[in-house]
Amino acid sequence: MKRKRTNGLSCERARAFPIERALAKLGHFPTRSTGKEAWFLSPFRPEAQASFKLSKKLNRWYDHGAGKGGNVIDLVCLINKCSVKETLDFLNTGQTSFSFQQQPIFKKKENDTKIQITKVKELSHFALEDYLKSRNIGPRTALKYITEVHYRLKDKSYFAIGLKNDSGGWELRNKYVKNSCSPKDVTHIKNGHTKLIVTEGMFDLLSILEVSENIESEHDFLVLNSTAFVQKAMRIIEGYTSTLLYLDNDLNGKQTTHNLIGHCKKCEDRSTLYKGFKDINE
């Protein structure tokens, strides 16, 4: 009798799943990386110096702080505190093929994929104002830090609300797309205070400003724009007497909060204020 074919992922094939990709799915990114290895902040505990090593060649990991290591299945089981079956389901989610070998890379012309900023102006387009309204952000709040950005991508013109980062790049949002213009970086808004508020994205910041009218008179702001900048955030918060963390209530946000509090005891988790919701804007 023929065995019934399933779409499930076997343990043998799952072990070939790149650990670096699995960690990215879980919201963990390397602090440094070479062609042979990568180092991460431990996903099991807060730490300031990366002690979690990944061998890309062997596709194996080792946590020097915990003195243990293994394959990708072991890792996901430990991080998610789940069964092997649940881990296989997790690794299989979003995969269109069971081949985990790196696919050939075809070079594209830089202008095909690079966002080109064509105009930056004060927010005035009705479509962007409507978008902000749909997110419960008033124009008076948005005008403080948000601008209207026009750009070209793949020979087409677009416009979006934009938040500029510390390296001159942009986070771009409208009703239909979520983009960013290189270089990617955090946005550190310095109002000259000793207290800091940290958010993941621009709408988290705008939401706080919308409901707390006088908060700028006491706080500086740090928008991560990506939790991959957690180490940069660690360096920045060291210069403040207190830091309030308004990060997302998902696995990635919780881990980032955990890492920041572990690094600096002056940090306070405020995500309980919006418990049951993904983020403060929601």
Side-chain angles (χ1 to χ4, degrees):
M1 187 172 85
K2 291 183 179 180
R3 296 181 64 182
K4 186 177 179 180
R5 186 175 181 178
T6 68
N7 292 323
L9 183 62
S10 70
C11 287
E12 183 179 355
R13 301 182 87 175
R15 290 189 191 99
F17 192 102
I19 291 175
E20 189 167 16
R21 194 192 304 177
L23 285 166
K25 289 184 72 172
L26 290 164
H28 302 281
F29 301 92
T31 60
R32 64 181 187 273
S33 181
T34 67
K36 295 181 179 180
E37 64 184 34
W39 289 84
F40 296 75
L41 294 173
S42 175
F44 306 118
R45 65 187 175 280
E47 61 181 10
Q49 297 295 323
S51 65
F52 184 99
K53 181 182 178 182
L54 164 65
S55 168
K56 296 181 181 180
K57 183 177 180 181
L58 300 176
N59 199 34
R60 304 277 293 188
W61 61 274
Y62 188 80
D63 189 318
H64 288 269
K68 60 184 177 183
N71 58 42
V72 67
I73 298 175
D74 302 325
L75 179 61
V76 176
C77 283
L78 286 169
I79 294 176
N80 284 347
K81 297 181 173 62
C82 64
S83 66
V84 171
K85 183 181 183 303
E86 289 170 324
T87 292
L88 296 179
D89 291 340
F90 169 81
L91 294 175
N92 195 31
T93 301
Q95 297 301 321
T96 57
S97 168
F98 292 149
S99 174
F100 301 126
Q101 299 298 319
Q102 184 172 349
Q103 299 300 310
I105 297 173
F106 299 95
K107 290 186 177 180
K108 298 181 180 180
K109 292 181 181 178
E110 186 178 352
N111 289 339
D112 287 347
T113 57
K114 185 178 180 180
I115 290 177
Q116 297 176 311
I117 304 298
T118 57
K119 182 167 60 175
V120 177
K121 55 178 286 191
E122 184 175 291
L123 182 66
S124 62
H125 199 289
F126 71 91
L128 298 179
E129 291 178 348
D130 284 348
Y131 173 54
L132 286 164
K133 186 178 179 180
S134 74
R135 303 288 297 266
N136 289 320
I137 304 298
R140 183 180 174 186
T141 299
L143 283 170
K144 294 178 180 179
Y145 300 113
I146 298 299
T147 53
E148 181 177 316
V149 180
H150 293 248
Y151 63 96
R152 289 186 64 80
L153 177 63
K154 297 181 179 179
D155 295 324
K156 292 184 179 181
S157 296
Y158 301 92
F159 58 90
I161 60 171
L163 177 69
K164 197 171 187 178
N165 67 40
D166 287 7
S167 293
W170 291 89
E171 294 299 313
L172 304 168
R173 305 286 186 273
N174 63 34
K175 183 178 179 180
Y176 304 102
V177 298
K178 179 179 179 180
N179 264 322
S180 61
C181 177
S182 298
K184 190 88 171 172
D185 201 353
V186 302
T187 300
H188 188 192
I189 300 168
K190 302 173 184 178
N191 297 319
H193 303 303
T194 59
K195 298 178 181 178
L196 180 69
I197 286 176
V198 180
T199 70
E200 282 195 39
M202 70 168 81
F203 275 101
D204 302 316
L205 171 62
L206 294 175
S207 300
I208 292 170
L209 293 172
E210 186 73 22
V211 300
S212 307
E213 193 170 325
N214 298 318
I215 203 162
E216 292 166 284
S217 64
E218 296 181 358
H219 294 85
D220 287 2
F221 304 107
L222 177 64
V223 183
L224 296 179
N225 295 321
S226 169
T227 54
F229 292 116
V230 62
Q231 284 211 314
K232 185 165 189 176
M234 288 177 180
R235 294 193 295 271
I236 292 172
I237 63 179
E238 288 173 356
Y240 289 88
T241 59
S242 68
T243 299
L244 302 179
L245 306 176
Y246 289 85
L247 304 185
D248 290 0
N249 271 323
D250 57 10
L251 185 63
N252 191 15
K254 290 295 185 186
Q255 183 64 50
T256 304
T257 298
H258 183 67
N259 288 336
L260 290 175
I261 291 176
H263 174 74
C264 181
K265 301 303 180 185
K266 295 178 290 185
C267 292
E268 180 183 342
D269 180 10
R270 306 286 280 182
S271 64
T272 54
L273 294 175
Y274 41 99
K275 185 178 180 180
F277 298 91
K278 180 183 180 293
D279 56 39
I280 192 168
N281 179 254
E282 185 178 300

